[in-house]
Amino acid sequence: MENSPAEPVTQTAIFAGGCFWCMEPAFDSIPGVLSVMPGYSGGFLENPSYQQVCEEETGHLEVVEIVFDPTLVSYRELLRVFWRNIDPTTKNRQFCDYGPQYQTAVFYLDEEQRREAEESRDEAQRMNLLGASVVTEIRPASEFYPAEEYHRQYYKKNPYQYQRYHEGCGRNWRLKELWGGKKG
């Protein structure tokens, strides 16, 4: 009898970085990231719709759930990518998107993730990002609900619309202003 190969051990990270359309590409091409799923977390309503979340009826944030192979990419590295793709100094807003669903947060799944998230937040604060305080929350994970199909891989399915949104939102300009040549 042959031994079947062991299933790879995976871990999950959940990050709220504003618009989930813009967070997907930041993680999609990282070796060791197995999947990036946009969705909703942190609220009180089961199975919220995009409309309900946008109308601020559910308490959810837009998030990405990342399944990764920790032998190929560390949680710490994913945190580094997360910070460099958000403005951690604004509350209830990311770039041109306004509302509590766009608050930035790290949802931790265990105490090790909590510790690493808090350490990475403290490192970002020490960088003195334009003299502003880091307001990104570190929260225990709650139920994750996948976003509707049309949101998944939006940047690939609708490249023209995505590019217009991404560029028009001022995201690249603000990220350069905040993070410039600073290393994590």
Side-chain angles (χ1 to χ4, degrees), residues 78-131:
L78 295 177
L79 284 165
R80 190 192 69 72
V81 171
F82 167 72
W83 290 109
R84 296 311 183 275
N85 282 279
I86 66 166
D87 177 350
T89 67
T90 59
K91 187 161 180 71
N92 297 332
R93 174 184 170 200
Q94 281 296 287
F95 315 104
C96 66
D97 295 317
Y98 294 83
Q101 70 272 26
Y102 298 115
Q103 173 61 35
T104 58
V106 175
F107 289 91
Y108 61 87
L109 284 89
D110 59 33
E111 284 305 304
E112 180 66 18
Q113 283 190 355
R114 181 194 58 76
R115 184 186 61 73
E116 288 188 38
E118 289 174 352
E119 287 174 3
S120 69
R121 179 197 56 208
D122 295 346
E123 288 170 19
Q125 185 61 57
R126 283 192 296 274
M127 292 179 137
N128 192 27
L129 303 169
L130 306 176

Side-chain angles (χ1 to χ4, degrees), residues 58-174:
T58 71
H60 288 87
L61 306 181
E62 286 194 18
V63 301
V64 287
E65 180 188 64
I66 303 161
V67 177
F68 64 101
D69 179 340
T71 66
L72 299 175
V73 63
S74 68
Y75 184 69
R76 170 91 44 196
E77 176 62 16
L78 295 177
L79 284 165
R80 190 192 69 72
V81 171
F82 167 72
W83 290 109
R84 296 311 183 275
N85 282 279
I86 66 166
D87 177 350
T89 67
T90 59
K91 187 161 180 71
N92 297 332
R93 174 184 170 200
Q94 281 296 287
F95 315 104
C96 66
D97 295 317
Y98 294 83
Q101 70 272 26
Y102 298 115
Q103 173 61 35
T104 58
V106 175
F107 289 91
Y108 61 87
L109 284 89
D110 59 33
E111 284 305 304
E112 180 66 18
Q113 283 190 355
R114 181 194 58 76
R115 184 186 61 73
E116 288 188 38
E118 289 174 352
E119 287 174 3
S120 69
R121 179 197 56 208
D122 295 346
E123 288 170 19
Q125 185 61 57
R126 283 192 296 274
M127 292 179 137
N128 192 27
L129 303 169
L130 306 176
S133 295
V134 169
V135 297
T136 299
E137 299 175 352
I138 310 296
R139 298 166 57 171
S142 58
E143 189 71 29
F144 170 81
Y145 298 99
E148 295 81 352
E149 178 62 37
Y150 69 93
H151 289 298
R152 300 174 195 174
Q153 301 284 300
Y154 186 87
Y155 75 103
K156 289 182 180 178
K157 293 177 190 173
N158 302 285
Y160 177 73
Q161 292 91 332
Y162 171 76
Q163 203 57 37
R164 286 189 61 206
Y165 164 76
H166 188 269
E167 290 174 13
C169 220
R171 186 178 200 93
N172 292 341
W173 173 84
R174 181 64 175 162

